[in-house]
Amino acid sequence: MELLAPAKVNLGLSVLGRRPDGYHELHTLFAALRVGDRLWVEAIPEGIELEVRGQGLPADTNNLVYKAAQAYLTAAGWPGGVRVVLEKNLPLAAGLGGGSSDAAAVLRALSRLYPAALELPRLALGLGADVPFFLGPGLAEGRGVGERLTPLPPLRAALVLVNPGIAVSAAEAYKGLTPEMWQPELDIAGVVEAIQVGEEPPYWNTLERSVFRLHPYLEALKQELYRLGLRGVLMSGSGSTLFGLAREADEAAHLAGVLRSKYPNFWVVATETVS
């Protein structure tokens, strides 16, 4: 079977503080997009076979796709094996949840190939904090480390995504945080309403301060996206992808074309939220 593993953006990401377990307490709004990686999954008699196309990602046991397949098949008692072909279209370490979405797609596929009475969200959380979101609806409020999810009605929005080829690890982004950078909870209802009526959303990404300090060019690029006419320009997740909201899909496509012409080596995509 063929599956899309959608990218996500964070329509606001607030770091509220540090938890006793050493992780950070978050408040965010996850939105799945119509762009992403693609996977082909089929049953085989035994074992796990993984092929990765593009992006130079290794097809070994450290790949999150392999780990997801192993986790499901182990929990299900190894009813058979699986072959997965992963086509990587999303940039790596980009704040778009690509690896997490790939893992969730494998869990979804295996639950259809080998149905079993398993708690997929629990398996997903064992693979990463963002993985559970990709099992559910396209829009959800996230708390905790992002794993406590409240599904929300679909929200239609056109976006332009820009990644200049700077890889930023989550550990790198969080390491630069200090207590004075912590921020309050987001106004989720206000964010949703602003996007619906085409206004500047009242959101922020706490991690921008630490990431922009490491990579000042991203802050300059953010201002350029505003000058082009996009609104709500924000870094997604721990970066380095920036996104901006357009009025409609045609405007997003036009502005993406302008950016591709100016920055032919950047990854630039016009897309929409899943609705």
Side-chain angles (χ1 to χ4, degrees):
M1 72 183 73
E2 181 178 351
L3 302 93
L4 174 69
K8 62 82 180 168
V9 290
N10 298 82
L11 298 172
L13 173 59
S14 195
V15 179
L16 309 180
R18 186 179 287 275
R19 297 151 49 109
D21 61 9
Y23 290 97
H24 289 85
E25 188 75 18
L26 307 179
H27 189 216
T28 188
L29 180 60
F30 291 111
L33 307 178
R34 296 189 179 278
V35 63
D37 296 333
R38 197 158 292 276
L39 297 92
W40 291 265
V41 183
E42 63 177 342
I44 59 176
E46 61 182 15
I48 300 171
E49 298 178 6
L50 173 60
E51 176 186 346
V52 181
R53 300 172 181 171
Q55 300 286 350
L57 199 65
D60 58 22
T61 57
N62 292 318
N63 190 298
L64 204 54
V65 165
Y66 190 100
K67 291 181 178 180
Q70 186 175 50
Y72 186 93
L73 293 173
T74 298
W78 287 92
V82 66
R83 170 172 167 75
V84 181
V85 177
L86 169 61
E87 179 183 273
K88 284 298 297 181
N89 301 315
L90 301 174
L92 304 178
L96 297 173
S100 296
S101 186
D102 296 339
V106 170
L107 294 179
R108 295 198 315 268
L110 286 171
S111 70
R112 291 160 60 182
L113 289 175
Y114 301 115
L118 302 176
E119 293 184 37
L120 287 189
R122 178 175 293 181
L123 284 179
L125 184 57
L127 296 164
D130 285 354
V131 182
F133 165 70
F134 292 104
L135 294 176
L139 191 73
E141 180 179 5
R143 293 180 179 276
V145 294
E147 87 290 2
R148 294 193 343 250
L149 300 167
T150 302
L152 297 173
L155 175 66
R156 188 173 182 274
L159 305 91
V160 177
L161 310 179
V162 183
N163 186 286
I166 298 171
V168 180
S169 71
E172 181 183 21
Y174 281 97
K175 185 179 180 180
L177 285 183
T178 55
E180 63 268 17
M181 295 180 183
W182 296 342
Q183 294 181 280
E185 291 191 352
L186 297 164
D187 175 9
I188 297 295
V191 170
V192 170
E193 182 180 3
I195 293 173
Q196 287 173 330
V197 300
E199 295 179 353
E200 181 79 5
Y203 57 31
W204 57 84
N205 183 341
T206 306
L207 294 176
E208 281 188 348
R209 290 181 64 184
S210 63
V211 173
F212 287 178
R213 182 184 297 160
L214 293 168
H215 304 284
Y217 176 70
L218 291 174
E219 186 169 14
L221 182 58
K222 176 177 179 176
Q223 296 309 313
E224 181 169 357
L225 296 183
Y226 268 121
R227 287 192 295 271
L228 274 177
L230 292 167
R231 57 188 168 79
V233 180
L234 204 66
M235 185 180 77
S236 182
S238 56
S240 62
T241 301
L242 300 173
F243 70 88
L245 302 166
R247 294 176 183 83
E248 55 188 22
D250 287 347
E251 182 186 49
H254 169 71
L255 293 178
V258 171
L259 287 164
R260 287 192 201 99
S261 297
K262 185 170 184 179
Y263 303 108
N265 295 323
F266 285 11
W267 182 83
V268 181
V269 169
T271 187
E272 294 180 90
T273 51
V274 174
S275 59

